[in-house]
Amino acid sequence: MTVPTKSVIYARVHRPDPALIARAAKFGIADLHEGLGEIAGRMCLMSPAMVPIAPGQKVCGPAVTAWNFPGDNLAIHAALYTAEAGDVLVLTNGGGHQGALWGDVACTFAQKKGLVGTVVHGATRDVDAIRDLGYPVWSTAVSPEHPKKRGPAAVNVPIVVDGVLVEPGDLIVGDSDGVLVIPRALLELAVTNAEARAANEVEFRRRIGEGEVLFDVLGMRKLVADLGIEIKDCTWEEDR
């Protein structure tokens, strides 16, 4: 990863195959998180601090990134300028609440341009107006504090957002569970595994509907036995 040493705006982004994005969009982040595997799935998942502004939000699209100096949001305007329909803006100022990164006017323009959502590692303001617009936003803070617009700034470079590395063109998936970043190199793997997981869950629901208990549907009885855990048909007082 090359870190810029001065302000820069890259106008172009390598985006994933639209057909692969469409396949990913069928799933919530839980399935795709599982599909990435135990290590990548955790490394690519933002923390519970990254919350949706409104219930029922969903987003799936390639990242356009913006690094902002604390208290400043110049970079988000450059990112808005370079972004294309279907993109997700991913913004950070390091996570501080000083200077709101995102508000309703930016939302209005993003929505008109065809962007599908914004992820903010920092503060969002005009929350009620954004909810009325119906534009999906996730944020780690809410504050009306006035931002400056003087930089320094960097757009479409790798950034760290809520502890997760985000490179331009990575797939951003968000819903009520949070936000997941899927590196382009792992997208096919994540989607294929999510499809297999979804098929398994269809079978689980069928068996539950036919009267089986979840303990057996998930193979917990065998797992408990293999771990040497004893199931005793008595209370703990009776076993003393």
Side-chain angles (χ1 to χ4, degrees):
M1 181 179 74
T2 301
V3 179
T5 58
K6 60 182 181 179
S7 293
V8 63
I9 298 168
Y10 291 104
R12 297 187 180 182
V13 172
H14 291 295
R15 295 172 174 83
D17 179 358
L20 201 49
I21 295 175
R23 285 170 60 192
K26 297 177 182 178
F27 300 100
I29 71 168
D31 286 327
L32 292 164
H33 159 71
E34 298 279 1
L36 281 169
E38 292 186 353
I39 297 175
R42 286 168 173 77
M43 292 179 67
C44 296
L45 184 65
M46 294 187 188
S47 82
M50 185 64 74
V51 297
I53 291 296
Q57 294 184 168
K58 292 184 178 181
V59 75
C60 181
V64 167
T65 65
W67 181 90
N68 300 263
F69 195 75
D72 192 279
N73 75 347
L74 175 63
I76 74 108
H77 295 283
L80 268 171
Y81 176 73
T82 64
E84 299 178 0
D87 286 343
V88 178
L89 292 182
V90 183
L91 320 175
T92 186
N93 63 2
H97 64 81
Q98 298 89 352
L101 287 178
W102 193 250
D104 65 329
V105 173
C107 262
T108 300
F109 181 77
Q111 195 171 49
K112 183 176 180 180
K113 197 170 184 181
L115 307 192
V116 294
T118 299
V119 174
V120 183
H121 184 211
T124 294
R125 68 181 183 183
D126 309 317
V127 170
D128 289 338
I130 291 173
R131 287 172 179 157
D132 289 342
L133 285 170
Y135 179 87
V137 176
W138 287 255
S139 184
T140 55
V142 173
S143 172
E145 190 170 340
H146 173 73
K148 299 294 185 180
K149 294 175 176 60
R150 57 194 177 197
V155 173
N156 285 326
V157 300
I159 59 177
V160 176
V161 179
D162 193 26
V164 178
L165 175 65
V166 183
E167 297 189 0
D170 285 348
L171 193 70
I172 306 300
V173 185
D175 58 23
S176 296
D177 287 346
V179 175
L180 180 71
V181 181
I182 307 178
R184 282 182 294 137
L186 298 179
L187 182 52
E188 178 75 49
L189 171 72
V191 172
T192 299
N193 287 345
E195 289 168 342
R197 174 180 167 82
N200 286 337
E201 290 190 346
V202 169
E203 176 64 11
F204 292 161
R205 291 185 178 91
R206 181 193 65 78
R207 291 173 61 184
I208 291 169
E210 292 179 354
E212 290 191 57
V213 297
L214 188 60
F215 197 72
D216 290 326
V217 170
L218 296 180
M220 292 295 104
R221 194 176 305 278
K222 181 179 184 305
L223 177 62
V224 166
D226 289 346
L227 291 171
I229 301 172
E230 185 180 2
I231 299 177
K232 296 186 176 184
D233 188 20
C234 64
T235 68
W236 71 272
E237 293 97 339
E238 292 167 342
D239 195 41
R240 283 188 298 178

